Amino acid sequence: MARFFREQDIDEFRECFYLYARSGQIRTLDELTVIMRSLGTNATISELMKYFKDKGGKISFADFLEIMHQHTKVENLPQELIDAFRAYDTIGRGYVSAKDLRDRKSVV
């Protein structure tokens, strides 16, 4: 799995993993939920339950890297950001001005 992530990403994953999974394994769904959300993912409860079940209820760090790889393919965050900005670019200029963002932010 190391070939899918940068070294600094793996270091961040490792630090977060061992902060919450002190025994070296994730043993509860709550631990998996906290770790993945701490790393900025937006996995649903059903996705988390599937990951946990697929690994037999115990997740090592190597298993966790595999889960993160699977989930990053599903989540596709950069495209979601592009789509969000396109929604604000109602005129189709290819950019959103700071004024437009401020105006929209105050409405939300």
Side-chain angles (χ1 to χ4, degrees):
M1 285 300 120
R3 66 182 178 263
F4 297 112
F5 298 109
R6 296 176 308 177
E7 188 174 329
Q8 67 191 85
D9 292 334
I10 293 172
D11 290 343
E12 181 181 358
F13 296 163
R14 183 180 295 110
E15 182 178 342
C16 190
F17 180 88
Y18 286 107
L19 178 66
Y20 293 103
R22 295 175 196 248
S23 68
Q25 289 191 327
I26 298 172
R27 298 181 185 270
T28 67
L29 185 60
D30 288 340
E31 286 177 341
L32 179 60
T33 303
V34 168
I35 293 168
M36 289 193 66
R37 296 217 170 127
S38 295
L39 291 167
T41 65
N42 291 314
T44 64
I45 294 297
S46 60
E47 289 172 324
L48 293 166
M49 287 171 42
K50 180 186 178 307
Y51 297 145
F52 197 69
K53 183 181 174 196
D54 288 349
K55 298 300 178 185
K58 290 183 181 178
I59 300 171
S60 68
F61 183 68
D63 293 333
F64 180 70
L65 284 179
E66 186 178 319
I67 289 169
M68 287 299 289
H69 174 65
Q70 290 172 357
H71 191 72
T72 54
K73 289 192 304 188
V74 170
E75 202 162 76
N76 198 9
L77 243 132
Q79 187 59 45
E80 289 178 20
L81 287 172
I82 290 168
D83 293 343
F85 278 102
R86 280 191 181 135
Y88 280 116
D89 182 19
T90 56
I91 300 173
R93 297 176 293 203
Y95 66 91
V96 179
S97 71
K99 181 186 179 308
D100 289 343
L101 284 176
R102 272 192 303 275
D103 292 345
R104 303 272 176 154
K105 182 180 159 193
S106 64
V107 172
V108 177

